[in-house]
């Protein structure tokens, strides 16, 4: 069973930066599709960015391209999301997700909640104008 624990959320003014971390444990496979999702009040959970843990290939939502960067540190079993130039519309609870079906990262449906088996508890990000 994979356990995911997010940290790094907080409150920031528009234009600011935050870095989210996702500490992972309990891997059973050597390769996963891992990523970040977010959910704002009253909205669907949406994919933000994903990464193939083996190849490092990434995909981003159009709304965050050029501003967010997903990365990983294999020595710490940690996934990161560097968020720059934050906007009020980035306000949401951010979740870390993973699935051993690494091909999800290459699918047109990579941003679908149903494609991921493992989830963290979420961390709140609030961006004020």
């Amino acid at each position: 069973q994979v356990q995911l624990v997010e940290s790094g959320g907080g409150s920031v003014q528009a234009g600011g930066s935050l870095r989210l971390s996702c500490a992972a444990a309990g891997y059973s496979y050597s390769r996963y599709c891992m990523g970040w999702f977010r959910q704002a009040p009253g909205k669907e959970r949406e994919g933000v960015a994903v990464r193939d843990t083996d190849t490092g290939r990434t995909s981003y939502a159009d709304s965050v391209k050029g501003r967010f960067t997903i990365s990983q540190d294999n020595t710490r079993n940690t996934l990161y999301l560097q968020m720059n130039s934050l906007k009020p519309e980035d306000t949401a609870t951010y979740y870390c997700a993973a699935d051993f079906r690494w091909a999800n990262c290459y699918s047109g449906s990579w941003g679908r909640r149903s494609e991921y088996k493992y989830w963290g508890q979420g961390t709140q990000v609030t961006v004020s104008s």
Side-chain angles (χ1 to χ4, degrees):
Q1 185 77 6
V2 175
Q3 295 90 39
L4 304 172
V5 179
E6 303 98 333
S7 61
S11 297
V12 65
Q13 288 193 329
S17 298
L18 283 173
R19 188 178 79 157
L20 306 183
S21 299
C22 172
Y27 286 128
S28 298
Y29 297 86
S30 61
R31 185 177 185 180
Y32 288 79
C33 180
M34 291 189 69
W36 294 93
F37 283 66
R38 66 185 181 187
Q39 188 167 16
K43 293 189 176 182
E44 295 288 322
R45 191 171 298 187
E46 62 176 359
V48 174
V50 294
R51 184 182 176 98
D52 180 330
T53 61
D54 182 49
T55 66
R57 185 187 183 277
T58 58
S59 294
Y60 293 91
D62 288 343
S63 59
V64 306
K65 281 181 181 177
R67 299 189 299 123
F68 291 10
T69 302
I70 187 171
S71 63
Q72 67 189 74
D73 182 340
N74 291 335
T75 62
R76 293 187 170 88
N77 285 338
T78 301
L79 187 76
Y80 300 101
L81 185 68
Q82 178 66 43
M83 304 185 295
N84 298 329
S85 303
L86 282 162
K87 304 175 181 180
E89 51 263 44
D90 294 318
T91 295
T93 300
Y94 283 71
Y95 297 89
C96 181
D99 199 282
F100 60 85
R101 295 170 296 177
W102 54 264
N104 285 354
C105 275
Y106 300 87
S107 165
S109 60
W110 67 261
R112 289 184 189 169
R113 178 178 184 173
S114 60
E115 298 295 318
Y116 299 85
K117 180 176 181 179
Y118 305 106
W119 291 88
Q121 81 288 352
T123 186
Q124 178 66 36
V125 171
T126 303
V127 184
S128 58
S129 58

